[in-house]
Amino acid sequence: MLRTLLAATAFAALATAAPLTPAAAQDFDFANMTDSQKTAFGDAVREYLMANPQVLVEAINELEAKQQAQQADNDKQLIKTNAKDIFEDGYSWVGGNPDGDITVVEFMDYKCTYCKKAYDEVSDLISKDGNIRFIVKEFPILGQQSELAARFAVATKQIDGDDAYAKMHDTLMKARGNLTVESLSQIAKDQGLDPAPILKQMNDEKVTEVLRQNYQLAQRMAISGTPAFVIGGQLLRGYAPEAAMAKMVAEERNAE
């Protein structure tokens, strides 16, 4: 790709410096050049780029900008295609302002360091904004403890409801150290919950189905890591500070 970019950049630059006739431009084919022609062309490329190195930087920046724009367009289509499963799946916890004008969806893992880092940023954003609808997608991808915690959280919601889930989610996002059946049971007890029915529910097909649906949605959305956010019609893969997410929220409001 870089070789092609260099050739195209040099050709464009050389053509500007010494304009070619339309026929000459159409006939230009680097792949079909003879060895001597390629050598001469390579020398010309090197001479031009050594004298004008900013051209290569500009070309690479332009390529990256076009790739980012294409990715953004692709992401918008993915969100549109999967909108119901993203925003209205019927089983994910909904927090923030349920009637908010912008929805933020987070795919997260309780053992993900960057998810924990993003937790405070997301909480502050939702609190300061006041008009964001927030959805959590349990997406445990970092091993046994991740799945154990996700199953326990989902089971808490199914057994004890949304308020209990919200407290459990917050606690698990702040938790440090190993997450085990014993530690999760103690967290439940500390929150006034009976851990026994939650532990029983953890391996129920209803919990498994929630995780399965989240995995399949992430796969369709080309999400392979955590955290990942859907912010209105934009997809953010990875951690971003509060200011960056607030900017995306503002962009979505302005686009409406």
Side-chain angles (χ1 to χ4, degrees):
M1 178 179 289
L2 180 58
R3 184 180 181 183
T4 302
L5 176 61
L6 284 169
T9 301
F11 178 66
L14 292 171
T16 301
L20 299 175
T21 64
Q26 184 174 3
D27 291 341
F28 179 84
D29 186 349
F30 182 83
N32 290 327
M33 282 182 174
T34 65
D35 289 343
S36 61
Q37 288 174 328
K38 289 180 180 179
T39 298
F41 183 76
D43 290 342
V45 168
R46 185 179 188 282
E47 180 180 352
Y48 183 85
L49 292 179
M50 290 298 289
N52 302 276
Q54 75 281 359
V55 172
L56 182 56
V57 175
E58 291 168 2
I60 291 174
N61 289 341
E62 179 66 18
L63 176 62
E64 290 178 346
K66 288 181 178 179
Q67 289 176 334
Q68 290 172 0
Q70 183 61 55
Q71 182 66 62
D73 288 343
N74 291 343
D75 289 343
K76 287 181 183 297
Q77 187 57 50
L78 285 174
I79 293 170
K80 183 177 180 180
T81 301
N82 295 282
K84 181 174 177 56
D85 291 334
I86 296 170
F87 302 116
E88 303 288 348
D89 63 24
Y91 58 77
S92 292
W93 176 78
V94 179
N97 180 350
D99 298 317
D101 63 339
I102 296 293
T103 299
V104 173
V105 182
E106 180 179 7
F107 290 76
M108 47 69 59
D109 184 315
Y110 291 119
K111 294 298 292 184
C112 168
T113 301
Y114 283 101
C115 294
K116 292 181 181 295
K117 184 177 181 181
Y119 171 77
D120 289 334
E121 307 273 359
V122 174
S123 298
D124 286 347
L125 173 67
I126 293 170
S127 176
K128 291 176 183 177
D129 185 285
N131 203 26
I132 292 175
R133 179 173 176 257
F134 180 52
I135 298 176
V136 173
K137 297 282 190 182
E138 303 277 350
F139 186 44
I141 57 174
L142 297 178
Q144 185 176 1
Q145 291 187 46
S146 296
E147 181 165 354
L148 183 70
R151 284 183 172 276
F152 197 84
V154 173
T156 297
K157 182 179 185 301
Q158 293 180 356
I159 296 296
D160 293 295
D162 287 348
D163 290 344
Y165 173 87
K167 290 178 63 177
M168 182 63 66
H169 174 76
D170 289 344
T171 301
L172 291 176
M173 289 303 296
K174 298 174 184 177
R176 297 295 184 268
N178 292 331
L179 295 173
T180 64
V181 170
E182 290 74 21
S183 66
L184 292 170
S185 297
Q186 187 58 54
I187 290 173
K189 291 177 182 177
D190 292 343
Q191 295 180 359
L193 304 175
D194 181 358
I198 299 175
L199 292 172
K200 182 178 179 181
Q201 183 71 10
M202 280 175 59
N203 295 314
D204 190 275
E205 176 59 26
K206 291 181 180 179
V207 172
T208 301
E209 181 61 17
V210 168
L211 299 184
R212 181 185 299 118
Q213 292 295 332
N214 288 349
Y215 282 128
Q216 291 175 351
L217 175 61
Q219 186 176 39
R220 295 197 301 274
M221 298 290 292
I223 293 173
S224 58
T226 55
F229 299 90
V230 176
I231 301 178
Q234 300 185 55
L235 182 56
L236 171 63
R237 296 177 178 85
Y239 166 81
E242 178 186 344
M245 289 188 285
K247 182 174 181 285
M248 294 175 71
V249 169
E251 290 172 352
E252 289 301 297
R253 287 197 173 111
N254 292 334
E256 291 183 350

